[in-house]
Amino acid sequence: MVFLEVNGLSSRYSSSNGPVYAVDDVDFSLEDGESIGIAGESACGKSTLGLSLIRMLSGGKTTGKIIFEDESLLDLSESDFDKKFRWKKISMIFQGAMNSLDPVFTIDEQFIEILKQHRYEGDLHKLILDAISSVSLDEHVLKKYPHELSGGMKQRVIIAMALLLKPKFVIADEPTTALDVLIQAQIVNLLKNLKKDGMSFMLITHDLAVLSEIANKIGIMYGGQMVEFGSSEEIYKNPKHPYTQGLLKSIPTLKGDIPKYIKGIPPSLLDAPTGCRFIDRCPLVIEKCKQLPPKFKTDTGYVRCWLYEDK
């Protein structure tokens, strides 16, 4: 059963030089219990996509369709979305989460503020203890200030805040960035355990190895577009888009293969190419790449590349 379906999603910011299409015509869907990984270079639209889904895009405008549990989220008023969905059914672990805690309030006070904001009327203390316990933290951290916690503990506090009202879908934007490898492993294992309990994630990261641990489906973004979408197995074993192939070749392997980098830089979203956004960096360019990139079906998703026109 499909519980999240995104069709033709576009998000743009206004600037003095014109509109910036940070997300352009993105499609994907998830079934109950599935999680999606979003990968791509910096400024490709990953974070904007996450913020668009939870309707927290500051200074931007989102169009298209977001259907969550048979309800069109973009057609709801802001107050209705806030009452029914935000943090209750969809929550977000923001990028730079370790700097998101207020230094002048204890952890307990910050949890209570969230619950008051969302008008929770049950047992506040029990709910907070459940959230803290779910991320393997002891009760004593609630009386501490953020500066008294390690980086890994602060990250887990932020994750606990996102889980506070037991949402069905959590958008995790770079949850392991700036953490040492041991803490990263703890966070990944935590997300895997939560996934086993039925929670679904959108995991946004540069680390394709982390995605392989958690995501059932993967979307590869480039220049604001999702250039390839499919099952994790298909993306890793049989990547189709030249950009996806380049990303995978850039990962060090145990075989000792020398990683290869993708030459060039991503396009400006103020003046994106009219054809394929990857045209200036792609080693497999053909004449049709100058046209608007198509969307060809694959076994489990789609790819935006003219090389698959007859396949």
Side-chain angles (χ1 to χ4, degrees):
M1 177 183 174
V2 174
F3 84 94
L4 175 63
E5 186 171 359
V6 175
N7 291 317
L9 187 69
S10 296
S11 296
R12 74 174 188 267
Y13 298 99
S14 297
S15 76
S16 57
N17 295 317
V20 179
Y21 282 90
V23 172
D24 186 12
D25 192 26
V26 165
D27 299 333
F28 69 88
S29 64
L30 293 177
E31 296 190 4
D32 274 328
E34 286 188 328
S35 292
I36 183 173
I38 305 294
E41 291 170 279
S42 296
C44 70
K46 303 187 301 296
S47 295
T48 297
L49 175 60
L51 291 169
S52 299
L53 294 179
I54 200 170
R55 289 183 49 168
M56 296 184 71
L57 192 64
S58 178
K61 182 179 180 180
T62 300
T63 58
K65 285 287 184 183
I66 305 171
I67 309 298
F68 186 88
E69 295 186 330
D70 297 324
E71 190 145 13
S72 180
L73 300 189
L74 294 182
D75 292 332
L76 295 173
S77 67
E78 177 63 21
S79 61
D80 283 345
F81 180 77
D82 195 52
K83 289 176 184 176
K84 295 173 63 176
F85 288 94
R86 186 180 291 123
W87 234 254
K88 300 169 182 69
K89 293 187 177 182
I90 305 175
S91 65
M92 187 166 184
I93 303 165
F94 296 100
Q95 192 173 21
M98 286 190 294
N99 300 319
S100 300
L101 296 170
D102 194 316
V104 300
F105 293 101
T106 64
I107 302 302
D108 191 39
E109 290 171 330
Q110 297 184 56
F111 273 100
I112 291 172
E113 181 65 24
I114 293 172
L115 294 174
K116 287 183 177 179
Q117 175 68 28
H118 291 281
R119 302 175 182 85
Y120 183 76
E121 297 178 350
D123 187 334
L124 302 189
H125 186 65
K126 182 179 185 305
L127 192 67
I128 293 170
L129 285 181
D130 287 345
I132 284 293
S133 175
S134 71
V135 296
S136 303
L137 287 175
D138 294 328
E139 183 178 355
H140 74 272
V141 304
L142 294 174
K143 300 304 177 184
K144 293 185 177 292
Y145 289 89
H147 73 271
E148 298 179 280
L149 305 180
S150 67
M153 293 174 75
K154 283 188 282 189
Q155 188 75 321
R156 280 185 280 175
V157 165
I158 289 294
I159 293 173
M161 287 181 172
L163 305 178
L164 193 54
L165 295 176
K166 298 179 172 58
K168 184 171 184 178
F169 184 57
V170 178
I171 302 161
D173 192 356
E174 302 280 5
T176 59
T177 299
L179 300 175
D180 63 61
V181 291
L182 292 177
I183 301 300
Q184 282 186 30
Q186 291 178 17
I187 298 299
V188 170
N189 286 333
L190 168 62
L191 298 181
K192 287 166 67 176
N193 289 332
L194 292 169
K195 185 173 180 289
K196 287 179 182 177
D197 293 336
M199 190 171 290
S200 293
F201 289 91
M202 171 184 278
L203 180 59
I204 299 170
T205 181
H206 294 278
D207 193 336
L208 287 165
V210 169
L211 292 186
S212 68
E213 294 275 331
I214 297 170
N216 306 93
K217 295 180 176 178
I218 291 179
I220 304 296
M221 293 196 67
Y222 184 80
Q225 296 180 333
M226 192 170 283
V227 296
E228 188 168 358
F229 170 72
S231 69
S232 297
E233 184 177 10
E234 185 175 17
I235 295 294
Y236 282 104
K237 291 186 177 180
N238 187 28
K240 292 177 172 57
H241 198 282
Y243 179 62
T244 309
Q245 295 169 2
L247 283 182
L248 291 172
K249 288 177 182 176
S250 70
I251 302 174
T253 68
L254 295 176
K255 296 178 182 178
D257 298 332
I258 299 176
K260 297 180 181 179
Y261 70 95
I262 302 173
K263 297 180 180 180
I265 59 174
S268 167
L269 298 182
L270 270 170
D271 188 25
T274 55
C276 175
R277 303 265 168 108
F278 193 53
I279 192 169
D280 292 333
R281 306 171 73 188
C282 182
L284 303 173
V285 173
I286 60 175
E287 185 62 26
K288 277 193 173 182
C289 296
K290 298 177 183 178
Q291 302 175 21
L292 191 67
K295 186 163 61 178
F296 296 119
K297 287 186 178 180
T298 63
D299 291 341
T300 60
Y302 63 84
V303 59
R304 293 178 184 268
C305 181
W306 282 108
L307 295 174
Y308 298 90
E309 181 177 15
D310 301 320
K311 297 181 181 180

